[in-house]
Amino acid sequence: MDGNGRWAQQRGLPRIEGHRRGVETVRRVIDSSREFGVRMLTLYAFSAENWRRPQDEVGALMGLLELYLKRELQTFVKNRIRLRTIGRTQELPAGARRQLQHTIEATQGFEDYTLTLALNYGSRGEVVDAARAYAAALAAGEVAPDDCSWESFSRHLYTAGLPDPDLVIRTSGETRLSNFLLLQAAYAEFVFTPVLWPDFGKDDLAQALAEYARRERRYGKTSEQCRATEHAQQH
Ligand code: FPP
């Protein structure tokens, strides 16, 4: 969700105004993606590196998160949206943590749509946390050294139970991954758009999905093999 700060600066507004507008985009993108049949959405809302921002901006972002969760709870319940998080959320301020816990518990039974918020998230930190948990599982004899595999390791990532992302969209013209789902996005398609996050709308999402639909995902195979499998599945 990149470009909130620039959106505000272009209008001579404080950066936090960009983040406020960014929250409106969050609402819009959830609605549009549901309409388009998307079942899972992960938003990179606060990276482990974002603590380096000015304190008042960090505080304002945490406040916005708390307010957003309070306001949306009814909508989540009405639309059967399950909330979950990835990241070291135990390090977030108490107010945000409480509201997250409350929303997660109130929506845990829903299966129509999963909204995952990446909060205090960083891929490298996630790998370190997973490696620590995996080592403990090995030491406890829950996993035999000969049985080490991506499958058993990935159960210790924050994303355990979530499928890998099919499509990663980054707004605002930046073409970096910035420590986001580095392992999970191994086979993801990427769409980079110059649109700033506060301006990102239903049409932009439709365009990104159309672009995704045009891509051929080969997972190491040849085009011919993929077409043959597709043909076999259709007949
Ligand atoms: C990136 O724009 C945006 C963020 C670091 C924060 C996104 C957070 C929110 C919109 C609020 C809380 C989250 C939810 C899910 C309600 P930037 O500030 O890096 O923009 P810039 O690169 O133009 O400066």
Side-chain angles (χ1 to χ4, degrees), residues 1-7 9 15 18-19 22-23 26 43-46 50 53 57 61 64-65 68 117 119 172 174 196-197:
M1 300 191 283
D2 209 1
N4 295 348
R6 273 163 286 168
W7 183 93
Q9 273 157 359
R15 292 177 56 83
H19 295 312
V23 175
V26 168
L43 297 172
Y44 202 2
F46 194 85
N50 282 151
R53 293 192 173 205
E57 184 171 339
L61 281 170
L64 273 179
L65 171 68
Y68 167 78
L117 297 181
L119 292 164
S172 89
E174 308 293 352
L196 303 178
W197 178 252

Side-chain angles (χ1 to χ4, degrees), residues 3-184:
N4 295 348
R6 273 163 286 168
W7 183 93
Q9 273 157 359
Q10 283 170 7
R11 289 160 178 79
L13 297 167
R15 292 177 56 83
I16 188 64
E17 271 313 312
H19 295 312
R20 269 197 202 109
R21 289 294 288 250
V23 175
E24 296 311 312
T25 306
V26 168
R27 287 207 179 98
R28 200 161 59 230
V29 166
I30 292 175
D31 286 348
S32 320
S33 62
R34 285 175 65 248
E35 264 184 59
F36 294 143
V38 171
R39 309 256 331 260
M40 310 246 166
L41 179 73
T42 301
L43 297 172
Y44 202 2
F46 194 85
S47 76
E49 289 76 27
N50 282 151
W51 298 110
R52 296 184 194 141
R53 293 192 173 205
Q55 273 219 310
D56 58 342
E57 184 171 339
V58 171
L61 281 170
M62 293 299 152
L64 273 179
L65 171 68
E66 211 182 315
L67 192 68
Y68 167 78
L69 293 170
K70 270 186 198 151
R71 282 203 191 140
E72 292 314 280
L73 182 57
Q74 281 196 332
T75 311
F76 287 172
V77 171
K78 189 177 99 206
N79 295 331
R80 305 185 65 75
I81 295 173
R82 177 173 73 133
L83 179 78
R84 62 174 285 176
T85 58
I86 52 173
R88 292 179 181 162
T89 51
Q90 67 276 15
E91 292 168 7
L92 296 176
R97 249 180 14 238
R98 254 196 315 271
Q99 202 54 46
L100 281 166
Q101 193 58 31
H102 180 58
T103 312
I104 289 168
E105 278 167 19
T107 63
Q108 63 186 354
F110 300 141
E111 290 179 358
D112 292 10
Y113 186 99
T114 303
L115 171 68
T116 303
L117 297 181
L119 292 164
N120 191 19
Y121 176 84
S123 222
R124 290 181 172 176
E126 177 183 33
V127 171
V128 170
D129 286 351
R132 197 184 292 122
Y134 200 45
L138 275 152
E142 292 161 22
V143 182
D146 283 350
D147 293 339
C148 282
S149 63
W150 168 249
E151 208 193 2
S152 64
F153 175 75
S154 63
R155 272 186 226 127
H156 299 278
L157 293 170
Y158 306 144
T159 48
L162 284 172
D164 285 343
D166 292 308
L167 170 65
V168 176
I169 303 172
R170 183 162 185 164
T171 54
S172 89
E174 308 293 352
T175 47
R176 294 182 290 276
L177 267 181
S178 301
N179 210 9
F180 183 62
L181 298 180
L182 299 182
L183 296 178
Q184 295 89 336

